[in-house]
């Protein structure tokens, strides 16, 4: 088993991060599977509703990434300082706090669901289908929060393979139940929501059982006490991931509203297809940075500057190669992937394919932006990470999504993400250059 305290060459780094990459990609498949079955077996309006309400649900579930990324960095740093009992106490407190947070957010979501969907402009069947899907999904929100948190913490515990196993089990549950509920029983969007909610419960409950019992990882749930300062530190450090999740969801809502204005329900459906593919492609970047974060945090805590430099250099090289590969894949697979979801409607297919070809250009930049934000989180500098995330997913995307369509119509909406990601890479470069002496990473 590879330990985060070791020296990492390219081969070892890829081996260690591979389970995290597959784990995040498989998690992204939840929405993709729902979208495929709903689009092909329930129809275009339920498919649009699914994409319309999902950004709001992602905002509520994003707290899990905050606890996981911020907590994982602090726990790994504490382990690097050889305080393993303290690391277990922090780990346990975070898990208990996230469960309570999930319950509160589920209740809040139930209250806000209809007003939010109405505010975004849904009406008729689109409104009712959105509320139907959201109401069922929210029942599993505590498990969603915990599962998102454990996706980060499995690597910190030195068990990325276990995280992969849990995620695959949850993903397969979702696929099987979607096929059964939507394709066989014809329950439509209700069946898709039930399938996703049950699969999220698998992904959230199994890790709780694993860490509550004696295990071979470096972490375990133990008796602990509430430490407000530690929790605040975790939240601040993980705020960039929460902010990124919230910002992406808000941007998706704005995109949906803009597309509803410029292209009608077809535009929202086309954007949903792009988001499915984008989540899988970006999942490769997110999974890689999720896997490298505890390694960076450990060596930062151990003051191993040489390894820190090596990790940054290798990460940039890997992300660069992956970015070019994903650009090529996006252009080559645009037509077959669009056909997979909306091949039954020629007009919708045309809109989706056009957006796909423009949208794919963003993959050249997005990996570096994600790496930059994650790198500073791993260094326990949540402020810099939060600035990068907010500029990338909130400021640049929202401004371009509002302004570009005034000049280029629907094409401007697709191109806005490319512009935002390119600007974010410039910001990352400036922060890396400005903090090089403080952290000694090059």
């Amino acid at each position: 088993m590879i330990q985060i305290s070791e020296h990492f060459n390219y081969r070892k780094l890829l081996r260690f991060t591979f389970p995290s990459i597959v784990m995040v990609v498989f998690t992204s498949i939840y929405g993709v599977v729902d979208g495929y079955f709903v689009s092909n077996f329930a129809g275009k309006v339920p498919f649009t509703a699914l994409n319309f309400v999902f950004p709001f649900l992602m905002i509520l579930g994003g707290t899990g990434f905050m606890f996981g990324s911020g907590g994982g960095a602090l726990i790994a740093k504490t382990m690097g300082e050889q305080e393993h009992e303290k690391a277990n106490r922090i780990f346990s407190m975070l898990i208990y706090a996230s469960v309570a947070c999930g319950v509160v957010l589920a209740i809040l979501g139930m209250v806000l669901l209809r007003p939010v969907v109405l505010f975004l402009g849904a009406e008729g069947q689109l409104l009712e289908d959105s509320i139907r899907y959201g109401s069922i999904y929210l029942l599993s929100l505590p498990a969603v929060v915990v599962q998102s948190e454990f996706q980060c913490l499995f690597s910190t515990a030195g068990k990325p393979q276990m995280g992969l196993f849990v995620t695959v089990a949850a993903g397969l549950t979702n696929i099987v139940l979607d096929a059964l509920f939507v394709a066989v029983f014809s329950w439509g969007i209700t069946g898709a929501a039930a399938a996703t909610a049950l699969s999220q419960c698998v992904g959230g409950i199994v890790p709780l059982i694993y860490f509550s019992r004696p295990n071979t990882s470096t972490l375990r749930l133990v008796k602990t006490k509430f430490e407000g300062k530690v929790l605040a530190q975790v939240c601040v450090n993980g705020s960039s991931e929460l902010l990124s999740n919230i910002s992406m969801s808000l941007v998706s809502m704005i995109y949906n509203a803009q597309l509803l204005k410029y292209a009608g329900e077809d535009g929202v459906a086309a954007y949903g297809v792009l988001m499915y593919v984008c989540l899988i492609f970006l999942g490769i970047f997110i999974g890689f940075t999720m896997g490298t974060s505890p390694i960076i945090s450990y060596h930062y805590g151990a003051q191993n500057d040489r390894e820190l430099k090596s990790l940054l250099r290798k990460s940039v090289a890997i992300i660069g190669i992956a970015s070019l590969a994903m650009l090529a894949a996006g252009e080559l697979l645009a037509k077959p992937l669009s056909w997979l979801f909306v091949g039954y409607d020629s007009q919708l297919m045309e809109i989706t394919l056009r957006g796909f070809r423009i949208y794919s250009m963003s993959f050249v930049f997005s990996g570096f932006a994600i790496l930059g934000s994650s790198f500073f989180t791993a260094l326990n500098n949540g402020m810099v990470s939060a600035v990068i995330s907010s500029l990338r997913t909130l400021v640049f995307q929202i401004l371009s999504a509002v302004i570009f369509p005034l000049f280029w119509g629907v094409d401007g909406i697709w191109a806005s993400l490319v512009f935002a990601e390119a600007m974010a890479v410039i910001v990352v470069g400036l922060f890396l250059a400005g903090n090089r002496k403080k952290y000694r990473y090059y």
Side-chain angles (χ1 to χ4, degrees), residues 306-334:
R306 186 174 180 179
E307 187 66 17
L308 202 59
K309 294 177 185 177
S310 174
L311 286 166
L312 178 59
R313 186 175 63 252
K314 289 179 174 65
S315 296
V316 169
I318 291 170
I319 290 293
I321 294 171
S323 298
L324 294 176
M326 276 187 255
L327 170 61
E331 294 295 331
L332 290 172
L333 297 175

Side-chain angles (χ1 to χ4, degrees), residues 266 270 334-355:
D266 279 359
K335 189 170 184 177
L337 288 174
S338 299
W339 180 86
L340 180 67
F341 288 93
V342 295
Y344 56 83
D345 188 316
S346 59
Q347 183 178 348
L348 180 53
M349 174 76 178
E350 183 180 348
I351 294 174
T352 304
L353 186 58
R354 173 75 176 174

Side-chain angles (χ1 to χ4, degrees), residues 56 60-61 63 67 96-112 138-143 145:
F56 171 66
L60 298 175
T63 51
F67 287 122
Y96 303 146
S98 64
V99 173
C101 182
V103 173
V104 173
L105 288 173
I107 297 171
L108 180 64
M110 290 289 188
V111 174
L112 295 177
L138 285 168
L139 296 174
S140 67
L141 194 67
V145 171

Side-chain angles (χ1 to χ4, degrees), residues 183-204:
V184 178
F185 295 162
S186 299
W187 290 350
I189 199 167
T190 302
T196 299
L198 290 171
S199 65
Q200 295 282 13
C201 290
V202 171

Side-chain angles (χ1 to χ4, degrees), residues 75-90:
I75 292 166
K77 180 174 178 289
T78 305
M79 291 164 60
E81 295 165 346
Q82 304 303 312
E83 296 187 66
H84 294 285
E85 290 186 7
K86 181 180 178 181
N88 271 318
R89 291 197 302 271
I90 295 172

